Amino acid sequence: ERRFLDAISFANTLAGEIRGRVLEVGAGVGWASAIVSKIPSVQQVISNDISKHRLIKIAPRIFEQWDGEMNKLSTVIGDFLTLSWEEQSFNVIIFCQSLYMFSNLNKVLTKVNKLLVNSGLLIVACERIVQEYPIFNYKYLKRKLVILLRGRADLSGNHGYVDSEYRHSIEKSGFKYHF
């Protein structure tokens, strides 16, 4: 929660207060959506997740516990990449502990760029899980070997991206990168 609030605060210093229609991708039980729903300038929060159980059964309880504004909440169940939304229909798109679950960052972020209004805001928060090592460090080589032998994703589905991979994909998809 503290790291997510830091991300919101940082985003506010860059782009002004978060406002309008907000989409949280991979919302899970919706705690981040509940926090965002309390921002007065936010009109609607759309929580998207592949898990019907999390969004329908658990998220309403989480919203209640976090004093979220239920009247602002909409839920969309399904895989973000296969769902259709009108282009330029969101002011803010948030990934909080969820972008690392996608196997193709460029594909996801290119779609995000199309969905955001001009001067829209992408927030990627609480994703810094895997430490990045210099290329000649044995831990770097070990990580690359593990990826080669076992594949990119761990048992939870986390693809273990490092900062440089996020930065590269964010910039390649047409966004300015701020950290």
Side-chain angles (χ1 to χ4, degrees), residues 70-83:
M70 283 296 293
N71 60 323
K72 293 183 181 180
L73 176 66
S74 297
T75 58
V76 177
I77 299 160
D79 179 353
F80 171 72
L81 285 174
T82 62
L83 294 170

Side-chain angles (χ1 to χ4, degrees), residues 40-121:
S41 55
V42 169
Q43 298 164 345
Q44 182 182 22
V45 179
I46 298 97
S47 295
N48 162 243
D49 200 273
I50 203 160
S51 171
K52 181 178 180 180
H53 177 77
R54 288 180 179 175
L55 282 183
I56 303 301
K57 300 284 185 185
I58 302 172
R61 292 179 182 161
I62 297 299
F63 252 74
E64 186 178 314
Q65 290 172 351
W66 289 69
D67 295 321
E69 293 192 29
M70 283 296 293
N71 60 323
K72 293 183 181 180
L73 176 66
S74 297
T75 58
V76 177
I77 299 160
D79 179 353
F80 171 72
L81 285 174
T82 62
L83 294 170
S84 296
W85 281 289
E86 188 175 324
E87 289 189 10
Q88 296 189 351
S89 59
F90 298 103
N91 301 90
V92 180
I93 297 181
I94 297 171
F95 291 86
C96 182
Q97 298 178 305
S98 61
L99 186 55
Y100 53 58
M101 300 301 281
F102 289 92
S103 62
N104 188 331
L105 290 178
N106 293 335
K107 187 175 182 179
V108 173
L109 295 173
T110 298
K111 181 172 182 169
V112 167
N113 201 352
K114 291 177 183 176
L115 295 177
L116 285 170
V117 298
N118 291 335
S119 74
L121 184 63

Side-chain angles (χ1 to χ4, degrees), residues 10 16 26 29 34 50 78-79 96 110 118 124 131 135 144 149 153 170 178:
F10 182 66
V29 297
I50 203 160
D79 179 353
C96 182
T110 298
N118 291 335
V124 179
Q131 186 172 349
I135 194 167
K144 290 296 185 180
L149 295 174
I170 288 168
H178 299 277

Side-chain angles (χ1 to χ4, degrees), residues 140-152:
Y140 172 87
L141 298 173
K142 179 182 174 185
R143 180 175 174 271
K144 290 296 185 180
L145 183 60
V146 168
I147 290 171
L148 181 66
L149 295 174
R150 293 189 191 158
R152 182 84 204 213

